[in-house]
Amino acid sequence: MPRRLTLSRPAVRTPGPGEAVAVPAHRYRARLGALAAGAVPVLAFPAPGLAWLAWVALVPGMLFMQRAPGGREAAVRGWWFGTGFILTAMYWLVPSIGPALPVLAVLFGALQAGVGYGVHRLLHPPLTARRALLALAVVPALWLTTEYARSWHALGGPWALLGATQWQHPALLGLASAGGIWLVSAVVVAVNTGVLIVLTAAPWRPRAVAAVTAVLVLAAGPLLFALRDAPVRAGAVTVALVQPGIVDDPQARFDASARATAALGGRPVDLVVWGESSTTSDLDRDRVALDRLRELSAATGAQILAGEDARKADGRISKDAVLVSPAGVMDRYRKIRLVPFGEYIPLRPALGWIAGVSRAASENRAPGTAFHVLPATDRAGGPLPVGALICFESAFPDMARTAARDGARVLVYQSSTSTFQHTWAPEQHVSLAAIRAAETGRPAVQASLTGVSAAFDAQGRELARLGTDGTGALTVRLPLTAPGTLTWYDRVGDVVPLAALLVTAGSAVVVWRRSPRAGAQPSAAAR
């Protein structure tokens, strides 16, 4: 009887405890692809400004996550994708923090691991209509959870939130008036998820669900913009934004700002805004500098909001917005949210070495203790309460919302981006004022030492701009909304990210309950 020929499968050796597991080369290629894909969404932000790209920019990275061989590998690819995103979005920080940027990118990129796992878990083939519908809700929640987590000031702050890509589209910013920038981000991610499903799902049902949902959420912003009442106008004020240009010498910078302000004499100006750090004198002690500001205020007939970056009587340096009238200093606000590494070094005893290899802060600035509205007045003496915030604070939605609830009629941001000239940073920064205006239903202006200085109406529409190549005073007429006007976002706050946190937590519980119990013994049938 002939012998039967059998083919034996090579034995697969399971690595023992402590042994390294070899990663196939194709997985490294996929991870590098995910890293590169993380740079794609950044092109939708200023300065490239390809806002339309945001609606499909996540798809390449999500494809790498979806096609991963398992959930763990998908999470790793999500991590690499997040690392690539942070590296590209914040490349301009290299002069300030040097080698710390790659470290921060890896740390923040880890937050995207959950997105990678969720995309794979919900969207791996074969895809059903039910899982497609779940993905359209859960994936945006996962993404929003990562944005909200890294928006915590102790972790750096909310820079490069995906919804900010739509800053030039007031119809889409209508969503921000209801749910803040968070709702805009969620809609952008939902549309990307829908596009991925349409491109990759084989059955027609999940594709139909995804297509209809994407169209509906994409239309939500313009629909809300069309249906909601426009902010009720109640007068207008003329604001002058002073931009001295790139001036390294503090006294020369002060003098340039003074000359631009003096040229406003005879014009009907209600408020003059200087940039951040426009003076390095402590105006409580430097009588010469204060007297010069008082004279300028009297000559223009307008109060001046100066930016003070000075060493105070207690020996510490702080950054203040100082309101000056012909009578002297009326009030001041001290910056409470400092720029990590730029204005202080977290854990300085351990990380202080970064200052030696970069332009990171040589000493920590002293933060203020609380925000308050400055009681400015217009040229006729009427009340013009101002929410004055300094530079990086324009990134925080809750601060503008607090200013609105406290009665501010205008949001004023003082900025200095001279360190980041000829990068994407100035354009990224000024876009945030448009978003804060749309969120709060108040006009917003930004005065920068070196540009961009700009003004936006209560719906985020740009009214005037002075770019990084300009100097002088930019004068703009700002329509005001009625006192006490509040948007839905002003009233309800961060409901959208909190809902995303609940969805993320609920999803994690479901995954945990469905996973094999740790330590469970395999059944006899499985042995």
Side-chain angles (χ1 to χ4, degrees):
M1 183 176 179
R3 292 188 302 172
R4 180 180 296 175
L5 180 63
T6 60
L7 297 177
S8 60
R9 179 180 296 176
V12 178
R13 179 176 176 271
T14 302
E19 293 184 343
V21 180
V23 178
H26 70 274
R27 292 197 187 178
Y28 279 121
R29 290 194 295 270
R31 293 175 184 179
L32 289 173
L35 182 74
V40 176
V42 181
L43 299 177
F45 289 89
L50 304 177
W52 61 267
L53 184 63
W55 303 101
V56 295
L58 302 183
V59 172
M62 293 169 75
L63 275 170
F64 283 108
M65 304 170 202
Q66 180 195 42
R67 300 298 177 177
R72 180 177 297 179
E73 176 62 20
V76 172
R77 294 181 187 183
W79 187 345
W80 284 55
F81 175 86
T83 301
F85 177 79
I86 296 297
L87 275 174
T88 311
M90 302 183 184
Y91 79 93
W92 42 268
L93 284 174
V94 169
S96 295
I97 63 176
L101 179 60
V103 176
L104 292 177
V106 170
L107 292 175
F108 288 139
L111 295 172
Q112 296 287 354
V115 175
Y117 183 85
V119 167
H120 179 269
R121 178 98 179 189
L122 292 168
L123 296 179
H124 70 272
L127 186 60
T128 64
R130 178 177 175 274
R131 279 201 286 121
L133 196 58
L134 280 173
L136 289 163
V138 173
V139 173
L142 293 172
W143 181 279
L144 214 57
T145 296
T146 68
E147 286 196 339
Y148 198 55
R150 66 181 175 85
S151 295
W152 184 32
H153 178 236
L155 292 181
W159 200 274
L161 304 184
L162 197 58
T165 59
Q166 306 306 306
W167 71 281
Q168 289 180 306
H169 300 280
L172 290 166
L173 289 183
L175 294 166
S177 68
I181 189 63
W182 317 108
L183 186 55
V184 186
S185 286
V187 166
V188 172
V189 179
V191 172
N192 274 271
T193 306
V195 170
L196 177 68
I197 294 170
V198 169
L199 292 177
T200 62
W204 69 270
R205 290 183 187 277
R207 293 204 309 272
V209 167
V212 170
T213 303
V215 169
L216 289 176
V217 298
L218 187 57
L223 185 63
L224 181 63
F225 183 81
L227 293 178
R228 67 186 283 258
D229 295 331
V232 178
R233 292 191 177 187
V237 294
T238 301
V239 177
L241 310 175
V242 175
Q243 183 170 303
I246 303 175
V247 180
D248 294 327
D249 180 74
Q251 188 59 50
R253 183 166 66 235
F254 182 93
D255 292 341
S257 297
R259 286 193 300 271
T261 303
L264 296 170
R267 301 185 192 180
V269 178
D270 294 289
L271 180 68
V272 179
V273 183
W274 287 18
E276 177 190 19
S277 305
S278 49
T279 178
T280 56
S281 298
D282 178 3
L283 296 177
D284 288 334
R285 295 186 293 164
D286 189 333
R287 300 302 305 179
V288 174
L290 178 59
D291 286 345
R292 180 67 173 132
L293 286 168
R294 292 173 58 198
E295 292 169 1
L296 289 168
S297 179
T300 59
Q303 292 180 336
I304 297 174
L305 189 62
E308 182 189 274
D309 185 359
R311 192 174 297 279
K312 309 300 290 183
D314 62 3
R316 303 185 69 187
I317 302 176
S318 64
K319 290 194 173 185
D320 296 10
V322 186
L323 185 65
V324 179
S325 77
V329 173
M330 305 303 294
D331 201 354
R332 62 170 63 232
Y333 159 71
R334 180 161 297 171
K335 188 175 185 180
I336 61 176
R337 292 186 181 170
L338 304 178
V339 180
F341 299 98
E343 293 169 342
Y344 79 102
I345 295 181
L347 304 174
R348 183 175 285 274
L351 301 178
W353 58 270
I354 294 174
V357 295
S358 68
R359 298 177 186 172
S362 57
E363 66 176 290
N364 291 352
R365 297 300 197 264
T369 55
F371 169 78
H372 69 276
V373 170
L374 297 181
T377 58
D378 61 24
R379 64 183 295 105
L384 181 63
V386 167
L389 297 162
I390 301 172
C391 197
F392 179 57
E393 292 179 327
S394 69
F396 293 89
D398 66 301
M399 296 196 72
R401 177 173 167 264
T402 297
R405 290 175 63 89
D406 287 351
R409 301 288 302 279
V410 180
L411 300 178
V412 175
Y413 296 106
Q414 296 175 307
S415 172
S416 170
T417 52
S418 56
T419 304
F420 308 113
Q421 290 293 100
H422 311 300
T423 72
W424 295 348
E427 292 290 346
Q428 286 184 11
H429 194 190
V430 76
S431 69
L432 300 176
I435 296 166
R436 302 290 88 87
E439 286 175 335
T440 61
R442 275 151 181 72
V445 299
Q446 174 171 298
S448 177
L449 291 181
T450 57
V452 177
S453 298
F456 303 90
D457 71 6
Q459 292 175 297
R461 294 175 294 198
E462 187 173 277
L463 301 176
R465 160 183 290 249
L466 187 59
T468 54
D469 57 347
T471 58
L474 176 66
T475 304
V476 60
R477 188 73 171 165
L478 290 179
L480 297 177
T481 52
T485 299
L486 295 176
T487 64
W488 276 106
Y489 180 65
D490 291 332
R491 292 186 176 96
V492 303
D494 291 340
V495 168
V496 173
L498 293 176
L501 289 172
L502 289 175
V503 172
T504 299
S507 302
V509 170
V510 170
V511 170
W512 176 77
R513 292 188 65 179
R514 292 183 178 180
S515 63
R517 294 293 186 270
Q521 295 298 320
S523 64
R527 288 174 183 159

